[in-house]
Amino acid sequence: MKKTILLLVLILFGMVTVFMSSSVLFDWFGIREKEGNYVPGIVWANFVCGILYLVAAYGILKNQTWSRFPLTISVIILIIAYIGLFIHINNGGLYETKTVGAMAFRIGVTALFLLITTKIFKK
């Protein structure tokens, strides 16, 4: 049951992440304009992590212990991007205030995905 819920949430989160970040990166559906002062490095990090979420979901579906690896890489990418965001902000770069909170949320959710995946495969 826990595995099924994790799998569904991970797939949904991954698909939404890939769609939204690619929409900003490639200016699909005019979403880029609606995002305001986005930071490209953050959007790229989210895009890569979205793909890694889907890879991890595939691994979980196939009962593969390596499914923790893409999530670990995602946490690392997000932390590095978060540090980069603060460097960008300190250098006077334009950004949206919501990005700071959204990145903290994304790091927390990804760490939770990793924790649950680790617990599932320890059994």
Side-chain angles (χ1 to χ4, degrees), residues 52-115:
L52 289 171
Y53 297 149
L54 297 175
V55 170
Y58 176 77
I60 292 167
L61 180 66
K62 296 296 184 178
N63 288 318
Q64 300 295 314
T65 56
W66 58 256
S67 58
R68 292 178 294 206
F69 186 69
L71 294 172
T72 302
I73 297 301
S74 292
V75 170
I76 293 167
I77 288 171
L78 291 171
I79 290 170
I80 291 169
Y82 203 43
I83 292 167
L85 175 62
F86 285 108
I87 291 169
H88 174 79
I89 292 169
N90 286 334
N91 288 332
L94 296 175
Y95 70 102
E96 296 291 327
T97 333
K98 65 184 178 182
T99 305
V100 177
M103 282 299 290
F105 173 77
R106 182 172 294 278
I107 291 169
V109 167
T110 306
L112 184 61
F113 288 154
L114 177 58
L115 178 69

